[in-house]
Amino acid sequence: MSASLGTKPAEQQHQQQPHQSQPPTPTTLPWDKFHNWVHCICTVTFDLELGQAMELMYPAHITLSDAEKTSVCYLAFPDSNSGCMGDTQYHFRIREQCLISGGGCVGGAGPRRSYRQRAQGAGRQSNTERLAPSYLHSCPGYLFGFVYFRQVKDASIRRGYFQKSVVLMSRLPYVALYRHLLQLMSPEFFLNGPAFLEAVCHDIDQWPAPVPGQVLHLPILGSVLQVRIPAANDRVPTASAAASEEVTLVTSPAPDRVLPTVHEVNLFNALAPVLPHAQLLWELVLLNAPLIVMGPDPDTCSNLVQALVNCIFPLRYATDYRPYFTIHDCEFKEFTAKSQSPPSVMLGVTNPFFAKALQHWPHIVKIGAAMPTDKELKVKRKSSSLKSLDFKPGIYSKYTPYLVPDKSVLKRINKGVQRGRQIEAQSVIIRRQFAELTHSFMIPLERYVASLMPLQKSISPFKAVPLMRSFNSDEFLRSLGSSGPQLTSMVRGDWPGLYQRFLASPNFAQWLSQRQSEAHAQLEALHAEALCGVDLLRWSQGRAEVEIVDLVLKLRERLRRGHRGQIPLSVERLDQLQFQLDAVIASMPDDLRAVMLSAPQQQQQQLK
């Protein structure tokens, strides 16, 4: 399936009505609600002359660069060695506006924004980003692709097989929701043709905004999906919390129409082949170690990669990851170059060629088509055996874990298998174990960062906003003796050693940057409250004009950031700030007041 790409439709469609050469153009829909959830929906078919070809794309006004189309077309079909017959689902992740240069791939000028996003103005956060936990934020410059691939024998087609994929593109990592959506719509599309996709897009364009923490009802194909997206202020996921984040088909109470979460894959099924070493893999993911997952098919490898990314929730995985990666990706040469150290990337692959091309990577997980034996489950030290394209399943790594494996969870899972415990319940046990492990690891860091905050009494309305102290690694490591994870976790091992490695990782850098931004926003909010509680008119009497102008600019900046959700200020506080601002401007001399009143209008013109 690695033939050249094109845009010519396949010569025939399996059990599909003839369609127009140009798909219907939905020109009457605003599409803003649609783009809150989905970037576009397209179909990819196989043409004997052109290879994989993009056939349709909805909505019609969406454009993809040539590099993006090429990537989507290749990733929309499993590698030929996978031998996927029937229906297969998986997902991938690509760089948006990918530009090929010397075989490498670099980001473009930035992700394209919808009309709604442009109207919001630069720097404004949507409710989805502001209220969601960081691990559910969209990643600028990247798109997810969710694939429903069908391959069946068809003697009426010259190639002998019908091969076509429906691909849903989105910036949101709602893996479970989009997988379920494709299960509902794709079989109907293969029967009813392109007009059916347009009907699906119409339904999605009626959905409410994806606001975290609210119960949302999403109409689709005559039914209603009830969804709750996790919110940033949700407590650490436990068995009960995980059960509340569910997607149910309201019109059909059958249990096979219930999904555990909007963003999680089935952890038990995904991690079953490597479950005895789940804690080792948790450490590798925590440290952003370069990691290859080799699976027999895209479904297996993409689910395992996503499960590993999810295993450090609520910490967000900071570096690049590709649930499904092929030799045709524009970063192939970059990731396989042996002249430099492997990047901190996690790749899911199926092509046996990667066993040779990526043998220099330090950590490789090989999953076979069958469940591994006890011998295969052992961690194997990297050796020359990896030069073979058919090396045996297992984990190949020289990494020595810092923590002693907690075997109690594995015993519970094995006992659950023997007793026939439901898969969803098994996944809840695994999810809770990962969440508690990550939570215990992060508590000392959260506690130390909180100690870096300045005292509230140091905040003065007439001084600059105080800054939190810098993070001192040595000071933090010394604090572990009295307030380390041993206080909350039964897991034993070299916790200080693990922290020392973590402090040098991209995951830590991203987490610390986020905490520093949140702390500064909180200090700005406290400073704004202090400004609301003083008599600024009295203070301004006898002050130099430059001081008063500086005060006005500070008030405007607090109001701007408050209205954009960048500072946690209530509507009441914003009204008080506006009252203070108006009062100070009204007390200015006429000429200076005119200048101050004209400045906001100029700023609005610049934003447009």
Side-chain angles (χ1 to χ4, degrees):
M1 299 181 188
S2 58
S4 61
L5 302 180
T7 56
K8 181 180 177 181
E11 55 185 347
Q12 275 189 296
Q13 298 185 37
H14 179 73
Q15 296 180 354
Q16 191 166 314
Q17 299 173 355
H19 62 273
Q20 304 171 6
S21 58
Q22 295 295 329
T25 304
T27 58
T28 59
L29 292 178
W31 294 118
D32 282 346
K33 292 181 179 180
F34 177 89
H35 289 304
N36 283 334
W37 295 88
V38 178
H39 181 66
C40 67
I41 300 176
C42 53
T43 63
V44 177
T45 188
F46 190 90
D47 183 84
L48 286 176
E49 298 178 3
L50 301 174
Q52 284 110 292
M54 188 167 292
E55 185 179 38
L56 304 171
M57 184 163 60
Y58 289 98
H61 68 271
I62 291 295
T63 58
L64 296 175
S65 68
D66 290 341
E68 288 168 348
K69 289 180 180 178
T70 300
S71 293
V72 170
C73 285
Y74 276 127
L75 291 165
F77 279 27
D79 277 324
S80 56
N81 65 284
S82 298
C84 298
M85 292 297 294
D87 293 354
T88 303
Q89 281 192 262
Y90 58 94
H91 65 285
F92 60 83
R93 187 171 181 261
I94 62 172
R95 288 183 185 174
E96 193 177 13
Q97 293 187 326
C98 208
L99 302 176
I100 299 177
S101 176
C105 182
V106 297
R112 292 178 292 275
R113 297 185 298 164
S114 68
Y115 301 116
R116 173 184 55 80
Q117 290 170 317
R118 289 196 297 269
Q120 286 178 339
R124 183 187 297 272
Q125 283 186 306
S126 68
N127 283 335
T128 304
E129 299 288 301
R130 184 166 54 86
L131 300 177
S134 61
Y135 60 82
L136 287 183
H137 288 182
S138 61
C139 187
Y142 286 88
L143 280 170
F144 285 92
F146 302 90
V147 179
Y148 193 104
F149 170 73
R150 173 168 290 183
Q151 176 173 257
V152 293
K153 290 184 178 181
D154 191 334
S156 65
I157 298 178
R158 215 172 0 140
R159 183 177 173 83
Y161 289 91
F162 167 83
Q163 298 168 312
K164 192 185 291 288
S165 288
V166 180
V167 184
L168 185 152
M169 307 293 294
S170 176
R171 294 184 178 88
L172 299 172
Y174 299 162
V175 178
L177 174 62
Y178 295 133
R179 185 183 182 94
H180 188 64
L181 182 59
L182 283 173
Q183 287 174 349
L184 293 176
M185 59 179 274
S186 299
E188 294 293 331
F189 161 74
F190 291 128
L191 290 175
N192 301 314
F196 182 79
L197 281 189
E198 184 178 4
V200 170
C201 292
H202 279 252
D203 283 348
I204 298 175
D205 197 44
Q206 306 304 312
W207 289 6
V211 180
Q214 295 184 6
V215 175
L216 306 173
H217 296 89
L218 314 179
I220 188 72
L221 304 178
S223 299
V224 177
L225 290 174
Q226 181 176 296
V227 180
R228 184 188 181 275
I229 301 169
N233 57 2
D234 286 350
R235 60 195 177 98
V236 175
T238 60
S240 58
S244 68
E245 298 168 15
E246 60 182 28
V247 183
T248 59
L249 191 64
V250 175
T251 57
S252 176
D256 62 340
R257 310 304 290 269
V258 177
L259 301 179
T261 69
V262 296
H263 62 283
E264 288 270 16
V265 297
N266 186 311
L267 286 181
F268 177 72
N269 286 344
L271 293 170
V274 295
L275 204 52
H277 304 292
Q279 191 169 298
L280 179 149
L281 294 173
W282 175 84
E283 288 191 26
L284 293 177
V285 175
L286 185 72
L287 301 175
N288 297 105
L291 182 63
I292 299 295
V293 173
M294 298 191 67
D297 54 72
D299 185 23
T300 300
C301 70
S302 65
N303 281 338
L304 180 51
V305 168
Q306 195 67 47
L308 292 176
V309 169
N310 294 359
C311 77
I312 60 171
F313 285 175
L315 194 65
R316 180 178 181 178
Y317 188 70
T319 52
D320 195 3
Y321 67 96
R322 307 299 176 89
Y324 178 52
F325 187 80
T326 74
I327 61 175
H328 304 289
D329 278 87
C330 54
E331 292 99 339
F332 174 75
K333 290 186 178 180
E334 174 188 344
F335 291 159
T336 57
K338 297 181 180 180
S339 58
Q340 57 189 9
S341 300
S344 297
V345 175
M346 196 187 311
L347 301 179
V349 301
T350 60
N351 195 321
F353 177 75
F354 280 107
K356 181 178 181 180
L358 299 175
Q359 62 180 282
H360 62 292
W361 279 53
H363 316 289
I364 298 178
V365 179
K366 173 71 181 296
I367 305 299
M371 285 296 292
T373 64
D374 292 340
K375 183 178 181 180
E376 291 173 337
L377 282 174
K378 294 181 179 180
V379 177
K380 305 172 180 63
R381 294 294 177 181
K382 294 288 292 296
S383 66
S384 59
S385 64
L386 290 186
K387 295 181 180 180
S388 172
L389 294 182
D390 58 350
F391 65 93
K392 296 180 180 179
I395 297 178
Y396 295 82
S397 174
K398 293 182 179 180
Y399 179 80
T400 301
Y402 286 91
L403 305 182
V404 178
D406 182 3
K407 296 182 179 180
S408 62
V409 176
L410 185 60
K411 290 180 180 178
R412 288 185 63 192
I413 294 297
N414 289 336
K415 188 175 293 185
V417 172
Q418 296 170 2
R419 295 179 177 179
R421 183 187 293 143
Q422 290 187 351
I423 291 178
E424 290 77 9
Q426 298 278 64
S427 293
V428 166
I429 294 173
I430 298 171
R431 183 180 300 114
R432 181 170 54 188
Q433 169 65 10
F434 280 138
E436 291 176 352
L437 190 59
T438 304
H439 185 61
S440 294
F441 182 81
M442 297 305 297
I443 282 178
L445 287 160
E446 297 281 5
R447 184 183 295 120
Y448 176 73
V449 167
S451 72
L452 303 178
M453 290 285 285
L455 298 176
Q456 188 168 348
K457 64 181 182 181
S458 66
I459 298 175
S460 169
F462 307 117
K463 295 181 180 179
V465 178
L467 301 176
M468 66 183 299
R469 292 191 294 119
S470 299
F471 191 99
N472 186 304
S473 299
D474 293 335
E475 185 181 51
F476 165 72
L477 291 173
R478 286 194 298 268
S479 71
L480 294 176
S482 57
S483 59
Q486 69 275 6
L487 301 178
T488 57
S489 176
M490 298 298 293
V491 177
R492 297 293 177 255
D494 184 10
W495 286 99
L498 182 60
Y499 278 111
Q500 199 156 17
R501 285 281 300 272
F502 178 71
L503 296 181
S505 72
N507 279 338
F508 170 73
Q510 178 179 260
W511 172 84
L512 181 61
S513 176
Q514 179 185 344
R515 286 295 179 266
Q516 289 172 333
S517 297
E518 292 172 353
H520 186 67
Q522 185 61 40
L523 290 171
E524 284 187 293
L526 293 173
H527 188 262
E529 291 182 8
L531 285 170
C532 293
V534 296
D535 188 347
L536 294 182
L537 286 179
R538 183 177 179 181
W539 174 86
S540 63
Q541 291 176 3
R543 299 283 177 176
E545 288 186 353
V546 65
E547 293 182 85
I548 300 175
V549 169
D550 184 60
L551 175 63
V552 169
L553 295 179
K554 287 181 180 178
L555 289 169
R556 281 182 175 162
E557 178 64 12
R558 298 292 178 275
L559 282 167
R560 182 186 68 83
R561 288 173 55 78
H563 283 301
R564 292 187 173 188
Q566 296 168 342
I567 302 178
L569 291 174
S570 64
V571 175
E572 180 184 2
R573 281 284 184 260
L574 291 172
D575 290 342
Q576 290 174 345
L577 276 180
Q578 187 65 55
F579 177 81
Q580 293 277 53
L581 175 63
D582 294 342
V584 172
I585 293 178
S587 68
M588 289 180 167
D590 293 344
D591 56 343
L592 185 57
R593 182 168 63 250
V595 173
M596 289 292 99
L597 292 175
S598 64
Q601 298 178 0
Q602 295 175 359
Q603 292 175 359
Q604 291 177 3
Q605 290 294 330
Q606 292 174 357
L607 285 176
K608 291 180 181 179

